[in-house]
Amino acid sequence: MSEFEQYLATCLDDVTPSRVKDAMQYSLMAKGKRVRPNILFATLEAYGLHKELGYACASAIEMIHTYSLIHDDLPAMDDDTLRRGMPTCHVQFDEATAILAGDALLTQAFIEASKTSDNANINQKVIAYLAKYAGADGMILGQIRDILGEHKQLSLEELQQIHIYKTGKLLTLPFICSAIISQHEEDIEQWIKIGIYLGLSFQIQDDILDETSTVEELGKNIHSDIRNEKTTYVTLLGIDGAKQEAKRYYEEAIALLKTMHLHTKPIEDYMYSLIQRKK
């Protein structure tokens, strides 16, 4: 187990024992890719800082991501039974417990984010961005647009807007938080642009993998987009066209990254690993 995994495993230690806590821990410590924490760590390294400075903030973001997965999997939303190679939270426990576990992880995230720094100003800014990017003007906006887009033929522009919010906002968040922690807030606007392109590339890859991968490789059910009658980049452009779009957005993100005055190799390396991923 990595040092960060060890840290993450202790984040709920002070929570009162209950069935909800068990469900929170079950989902949080499932074998996820930890994409958002790794983006944060790579960005801190690019700024010349140790990744340990980002553990609290990364844990907060991972809690928000995990809560969103728990709720996404619920019968009222995507109705999935497998996540990260394990039964989804509502299958392992029950629907009411899963809803409460998601709610609890979301609120616990802000407790964890408040531990980001000894500098209260940094903590306040991190917490504000977490709320903005996870909330009704961020990830949640993308989710409701995604739900309302089911059983409809969406345009490429409409699909892009869903992905910018549903996936892109939470992938942009670690870039922004790293700039705040390292006190380089002048870079935030550039990170936002990079995050949008990375988020689009990442989500298109998910669309492709949902069509081309296996349950064993992904650790979750496949063809869920077809089952829920969702428009995807694959349905609009085909597999090859979607792959070209994912590559184009990735290259746009790298091009913007190279204009920044910092040691970009850690981020470039991690972003390259994302474009090559098979799950």
Side-chain angles (χ1 to χ4, degrees):
M1 184 182 287
S2 71
E3 289 182 5
F4 173 66
E5 288 294 312
Q6 292 175 18
Y7 180 95
L8 188 64
T10 66
C11 285
L12 303 180
D13 282 359
D14 292 336
V15 175
T16 302
S18 70
R19 183 173 174 83
V20 168
K21 179 181 178 178
D22 292 342
M24 292 166 71
Q25 193 80 15
Y26 171 84
S27 295
L28 184 63
M29 297 312 297
K31 294 179 181 178
K33 296 184 287 292
R34 310 300 189 210
V35 171
R36 293 145 196 85
N38 282 321
I39 290 173
L40 195 151
F41 301 149
T43 310
L44 286 177
E45 187 179 347
Y47 279 119
L49 299 178
H50 294 294
K51 69 177 185 179
E52 289 83 358
L53 293 173
Y55 279 2
C57 183
S59 296
I61 295 172
E62 191 66 10
M63 286 180 186
I64 291 174
H65 175 57
T66 302
Y67 117 77
S68 75
L69 299 181
I70 292 173
H71 284 189
D72 272 350
D73 291 335
L74 289 169
M77 295 187 65
D78 288 345
D79 194 15
D80 271 322
T81 58
L82 195 65
R83 172 70 67 177
R84 294 172 172 174
M86 299 162 57
T88 49
C89 190
H90 70 276
V91 172
Q92 182 69 18
F93 293 87
D94 57 73
E95 191 172 351
T97 301
I99 292 169
L100 293 174
D103 293 343
L105 281 169
L106 172 60
T107 47
Q108 191 71 23
F110 292 97
I111 295 175
E112 196 61 33
S114 71
K115 304 173 186 177
T116 296
S117 172
D118 293 333
N119 185 324
N121 188 47
I122 288 176
N123 292 340
Q124 183 272 325
K125 290 175 180 176
V126 165
I127 288 170
Y129 269 105
L130 254 67
K132 180 178 180 180
Y133 273 60
D137 287 327
M139 178 184 66
I140 296 295
L141 181 59
Q143 288 176 315
I144 189 59
R145 287 178 175 176
D146 187 41
I147 290 169
L148 294 175
E150 291 180 2
H151 316 298
K152 295 179 182 178
Q153 180 66 42
L154 301 179
S155 69
L156 202 58
E157 183 178 355
E158 288 172 326
L159 189 59
Q160 183 186 67
Q161 285 300 306
I162 290 171
H163 291 343
I164 284 173
Y165 285 90
K166 185 181 179 183
T167 304
K169 288 294 183 178
L170 225 56
L171 283 174
T172 304
L173 193 54
F175 288 128
I176 294 173
C177 291
S178 296
I180 294 169
I181 293 168
S182 62
Q183 301 187 60
H184 283 281
E185 292 175 44
E186 69 276 7
D187 292 337
I188 287 177
E189 287 305 312
Q190 189 78 331
W191 287 127
I192 290 172
K193 295 174 186 175
I194 291 169
I196 288 172
Y197 285 128
L198 181 63
L200 287 168
S201 178
F202 189 88
Q203 183 58 54
I204 294 169
Q205 285 178 278
D206 267 3
D207 290 353
I208 295 167
L209 291 171
D210 189 60
E211 291 291 321
T212 63
S213 195
T214 66
V215 171
E216 291 74 23
E217 287 173 324
L218 288 186
K220 61 182 180 180
N221 296 323
I222 58 173
H223 307 314
S224 59
D225 294 328
I226 294 173
R227 187 178 70 247
N228 293 315
E229 297 183 46
K230 291 185 179 182
T231 303
T232 70
Y233 273 81
V234 173
T235 61
L236 289 176
L237 303 175
I239 296 290
D240 290 341
K243 286 180 178 178
Q244 289 174 8
E245 280 294 276
K247 183 174 182 289
R248 181 173 72 84
Y249 285 129
Y250 162 76
E251 289 173 348
E252 292 277 7
I254 292 294
L256 286 173
L257 183 60
K258 286 182 178 295
T259 67
M260 301 184 73
H261 300 291
L262 70 166
H263 177 54
T264 61
K265 190 175 186 303
I267 309 172
E268 288 183 52
D269 288 348
Y270 188 66
M271 285 170 61
Y272 179 76
S273 73
L274 291 180
I275 197 70
Q276 298 294 320
R277 69 192 175 96
K278 301 299 181 185
K279 61 181 180 178

